[in-house]
């Protein structure tokens, strides 16, 4: 049975105080910038126009939106609901179900130095209903609108920070409700979360199944079965993909040469690193490194 802790704080073994939960540890590596907030009233059957390729939060304040796409059943976003689109609309259409549907939308983007593996692990959209979000959506939204209409210095920074908080709170609510998948899904089980925390905090350590099972306080077989069911891959595969995701981030930042990055994340040779990287991402690390260097060369 899935555990549903009141919060996601994980106490380290032998510790009597909180040193930081895994969700905070992960979200701290996702940085974003919000640059636009707008309110709009839609006529019945009118589609909400959102910028492609830009992430958005949409809150319905009156009426309801119908969420449509060609590859899934339609859904309804009622008044008081929030929907997060981490990679933009991407084929999703938000259409007014009633006359005079009112919405507030926030546009933002994830900063280039965020860990992209986390962002792309997020689903196409996250829908938070009024019942789950009333305590914080109703509090943040008026504050956001005040800052939007405020011409005082620092308003743009305040808006960006509030959007940041809304994204983090959305993800936290989504995890707490048990709807998350992938590494976020693993956080819904306190035992699996302890093993994930170990991998995330010490990614260069070669964790064995037995060590991770001990962290979770489970038998080896039960741990492997539970981990795979929640996270969608075996513990060792997840560990390897997490390390390769870190390497991808280092390559994008041009932090070091390809071979040095491979050694840094635990591969004994550049050839072994290149093979593993290509198997996961579809191209060798040198291609990633070259693409990251193109803007610098053009300048």
């Amino acid at each position: 049975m899935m555990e549903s802790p009141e919060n996601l704080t994980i106490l380290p073994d032998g510790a009597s105080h909180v040193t930081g939960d895994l969700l905070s540890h992960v979200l701290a590596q996702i940085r974003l910038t919000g640059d636009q907030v707008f309110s709009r009233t839609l006529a019945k059957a009118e589609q909400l126009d959102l910028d492609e390729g830009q992430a958005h939060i949409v809150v319905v304040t009156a009426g309801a939106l119908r969420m449509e796409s060609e590859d899934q059943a339609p859904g309804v976003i009622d008044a008081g609901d929030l929907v997060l689109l981490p990679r933009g609309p991407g084929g999703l259409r938000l259409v007014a179900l009633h006359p005079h549907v009112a919405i507030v939308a926030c546009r933002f983007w994830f900063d280039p130095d965020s860990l992209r593996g986390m962002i792309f692990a997020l689903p196409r959209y996250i829908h938070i209903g009024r019942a789950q979000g009333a305590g914080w959506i109703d509090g943040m939204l008026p504050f956001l609108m005040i800052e939007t209409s405020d011409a005082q210095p620092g308003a743009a920074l305040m808006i960006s920070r509030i959007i940041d908080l809304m994204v983090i709170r959305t993800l936290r609510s989504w995890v707490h409700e048990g709807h998350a998948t992938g590494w976020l899904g693993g956080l819904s089980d306190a035992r699996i979360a302890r093993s994930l925390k170990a991998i995330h905090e010490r990614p260069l350590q070669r964790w064995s199944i037995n060590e991770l099972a001990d962290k979770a306080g489970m038998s080896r077989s039960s741990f492997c079965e539970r981990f795979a069911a929640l996270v969608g891959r075996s513990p060792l595969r997840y560990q390897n993909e997490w390390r390769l995701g870190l390497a991808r981030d280092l390559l994008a930042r041009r932090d070091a040469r390809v071979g040095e990055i491979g050694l840094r994340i635990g591969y004994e040779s550049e050839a072994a690193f290149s093979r593993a990287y290509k198997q996961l991402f579809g191209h060798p690390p040198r291609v990633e490194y070259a693409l990251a260097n193109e803007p610098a060369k053009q300048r």
Side-chain angles (χ1 to χ4, degrees):
M1 186 176 183
M2 184 177 292
E3 296 181 34
S4 298
E6 185 65 24
N7 58 58
L8 297 172
T9 299
I10 305 300
L11 290 176
D13 295 339
S16 59
H17 63 283
V18 175
T19 59
D21 60 280
L22 177 58
L23 187 59
S24 294
H25 173 77
V26 171
L27 293 178
Q29 298 178 63
I30 297 181
R31 286 170 289 278
L32 60 86
T33 302
D35 73 332
Q36 187 182 75
V37 178
F38 61 89
S39 58
R40 188 161 297 165
T41 301
L42 305 174
K44 186 173 182 178
E46 182 180 354
Q47 180 175 333
L48 176 61
D49 186 23
L50 299 174
D51 295 332
E52 288 290 339
Q54 297 289 337
H56 291 82
I57 291 174
V58 177
V59 179
V60 177
T61 56
L65 291 173
R66 182 182 177 92
M67 185 163 52
E68 306 172 346
S69 73
E70 295 179 356
D71 56 358
Q72 67 181 46
V76 176
I77 308 168
D78 287 313
D81 291 7
L82 174 152
V83 64
L84 168 66
L85 305 171
R87 291 178 291 281
L92 288 172
R93 297 180 298 277
L94 302 179
V95 181
L97 272 176
H98 311 115
H100 311 298
V101 175
I103 64 95
V104 173
C106 309
R107 186 180 71 182
F108 67 95
W109 68 90
F110 292 102
D111 295 349
D113 59 350
S114 288
L115 193 57
R116 288 173 290 173
M118 295 182 207
I119 298 164
F120 285 102
L122 296 176
R124 194 175 183 183
Y125 68 90
I126 295 174
H127 181 190
I128 303 296
R130 182 180 184 86
Q132 294 93 2
W136 56 273
I137 295 175
D138 292 347
M140 288 187 182
L141 199 59
F143 191 27
L144 179 65
M145 299 311 294
I146 289 171
E147 290 298 328
T148 302
S149 60
D150 193 346
Q152 294 186 38
L157 178 61
M158 288 292 293
I159 289 168
S160 184
R161 292 290 188 268
I162 297 170
I163 294 174
D164 195 347
L165 287 173
M166 291 182 74
V167 171
I168 291 172
R169 193 61 179 84
T170 298
L171 293 176
R172 197 172 79 174
S173 295
W174 184 58
V175 171
H176 183 71
E177 291 298 316
H179 302 311
T181 55
W183 58 266
L184 280 167
L187 299 183
S188 62
D189 187 304
R191 299 166 300 173
I192 299 302
R194 284 194 289 269
S195 65
L196 285 168
K197 188 173 191 290
I199 293 172
H200 282 234
E201 289 187 338
R202 287 184 277 172
L204 305 188
Q205 179 170 329
R206 292 180 179 274
W207 293 100
S208 68
I209 293 293
N210 288 336
E211 288 172 328
L212 292 173
D214 285 343
K215 289 286 184 185
M218 302 171 69
S219 70
R220 178 188 174 102
S221 59
S222 296
F223 168 70
C224 288
E225 182 180 352
R226 185 65 173 160
F227 191 103
L230 288 174
V231 181
R233 54 213 358 96
S234 71
L236 295 185
R237 180 182 170 188
Y238 177 84
Q239 178 183 204
N240 190 52
E241 290 184 0
W242 180 254
R243 290 162 63 204
L244 290 170
L246 292 175
R248 189 182 191 188
D249 210 45
L250 294 173
L251 289 165
R253 297 178 191 175
R254 305 187 298 276
D255 192 74
R257 294 185 180 276
V258 173
E260 294 171 347
I261 290 174
L263 292 172
R264 188 181 299 181
I265 68 163
Y267 284 88
E268 295 179 355
S269 69
E270 183 176 338
F273 170 53
S274 295
R275 285 194 300 270
Y277 193 95
K278 184 176 181 180
Q279 184 177 10
L280 181 60
F281 295 115
H283 55 265
R286 287 198 174 275
V287 171
E288 194 87 47
Y289 190 82
L291 289 173
N293 274 282
E294 276 183 1
K297 290 178 181 178
Q298 290 172 0
R299 287 194 297 269

